[in-house]
Amino acid sequence: EPEVTQTPSHQVTQMGQEVILRCVPISNHLYFYWYRQILGQKVEFLVSFYNNEISEKSEIFDDQFSVERPDGSNFTLKIRSTKLEDSAMYFCASSEQGAQMGQPQHFGDGTRLSIL
Amino acid sequence: QQQVKQSPQSLIVQKGGISIINCAYENTAFDYFPWYQQFPGKGPALLIAIRPDVSEKKEGRFTISFNKSAKQFSLHIMDSQPGDSATYFCAASRPGANNLFFGTGTRLTVIP
């Protein structure tokens, strides 16, 4: 079964450094998402991406965050200047169509980001 | 009005018993309600989902009950098995939007 793959599985970064989290969505999917989960807390939406542009973003997704689909397969999340509170598990997800069409979002296994 | 509240935070059930997890939402515009299952070290995986035009949906041992007037929905796991031990999240989304709003999660432990 096709799956969403994320790399790296664990990223340790010094505060203030830039970090790029990478995702390969399922190949025929058109919608891409980033979520984060702070340890022991709920999964929180960050951003959705469709047709090469951001379709929706949350309050968490401020100017320090950006997303990009640099080629036909990868989908990246960049945090420009990391803060301690950015430490979390970051999940990438993809779906054939949007959530309102009842299409399931398929999640990767996440990247654990640790900011020192 | 985007909040989805989930209870209980943790649940211990004997093998063969029924596990019940409840969620309540505030935004009456929500029209898609999935449940996700998450094992340690893994991402959430879609378990079952429902739309508000039906009051119940069953897939195998998993059933969603939906009460539109009360703005509540619940997951029932029949004949619970140790392999069902995981964290379960309810979620919701609204028309025209693609993001999911997740509940706080329920850690289910099924003891043999």
Side-chain angles (χ1 to χ4, degrees):
Chain A
E1 184 178 324
E3 57 183 27
V4 175
T5 56
Q6 290 186 243
T7 56
S9 57
H10 191 191
Q11 175 79 47
V12 181
T13 301
Q14 290 285 339
M15 185 173 60
Q17 295 296 305
E18 175 184 286
V19 66
I20 298 176
L21 308 182
R22 303 181 190 279
C23 169
V24 179
I26 295 173
S27 61
N28 64 330
H29 286 186
L30 301 178
Y31 291 79
F32 314 113
Y33 314 84
W34 284 102
Y35 291 82
R36 80 172 186 190
Q37 185 178 30
I38 295 171
L39 186 62
Q41 298 186 24
K42 66 180 178 182
V43 178
E44 299 175 291
F45 169 76
L46 293 178
V47 65
S48 61
F49 192 85
Y50 169 72
N51 200 25
N52 283 319
E53 60 183 26
I54 291 174
S55 55
E56 203 160 346
K57 61 182 180 179
S58 71
E59 295 171 350
I60 304 168
F61 194 87
D62 61 22
D63 292 344
Q64 294 298 314
F65 292 87
S66 62
V67 289
E68 190 178 33
R69 188 157 164 82
D71 52 43
S73 60
N74 291 283
F75 179 51
T76 62
L77 174 69
K78 181 192 290 186
I79 308 175
R80 185 160 53 217
S81 178
T82 50
K83 304 186 284 283
L84 292 175
E85 53 264 39
D86 293 328
S87 294
M89 182 72 86
Y90 287 81
F91 291 106
C92 173
S94 69
S95 63
E96 268 187 74
Q97 297 185 49
Q100 76 275 21
M101 302 298 291
Q103 290 292 314
Q105 294 185 17
H106 297 263
F107 284 74
D109 288 338
T111 292
R112 180 170 299 283
L113 178 62
S114 300
I115 308 300
L116 304 179
Chain B
Q1 276 209 325
Q2 309 291 10
Q3 194 173 15
V4 178
K5 296 181 180 179
Q6 184 171 346
S7 63
Q9 191 173 17
S10 62
L11 180 63
I12 299 174
V13 173
Q14 290 274 358
K15 178 182 175 181
I18 302 174
S19 304
I20 302 174
I21 304 170
N22 301 298
C23 281
Y25 61 97
E26 299 172 358
N27 189 342
T28 54
F30 285 150
D31 72 341
Y32 175 64
F33 303 89
W35 283 90
Y36 280 81
Q37 179 188 56
Q38 185 181 30
F39 292 104
K42 295 291 187 180
L46 179 68
L47 197 59
I48 187 173
I50 198 169
R51 290 198 176 275
D53 52 346
V54 296
S55 60
E56 186 175 282
K57 183 174 181 180
K58 184 176 181 179
E59 290 183 2
R61 296 185 294 110
F62 302 93
T63 300
I64 300 179
S65 296
F66 187 83
N67 186 330
K68 189 174 181 179
S69 60
K71 294 186 287 184
Q72 295 175 347
F73 58 110
S74 59
L75 175 70
H76 297 233
I77 306 174
M78 312 300 286
D79 187 26
S80 299
Q81 299 296 313
D84 296 330
S85 297
T87 299
Y88 292 81
F89 292 94
C90 61
S93 71
R94 63 188 189 280
N98 296 312
N99 56 302
L100 293 171
F101 296 94
F102 281 83
T104 49
T106 296
R107 179 174 290 184
L108 171 66
T109 303
V110 181
I111 52 178

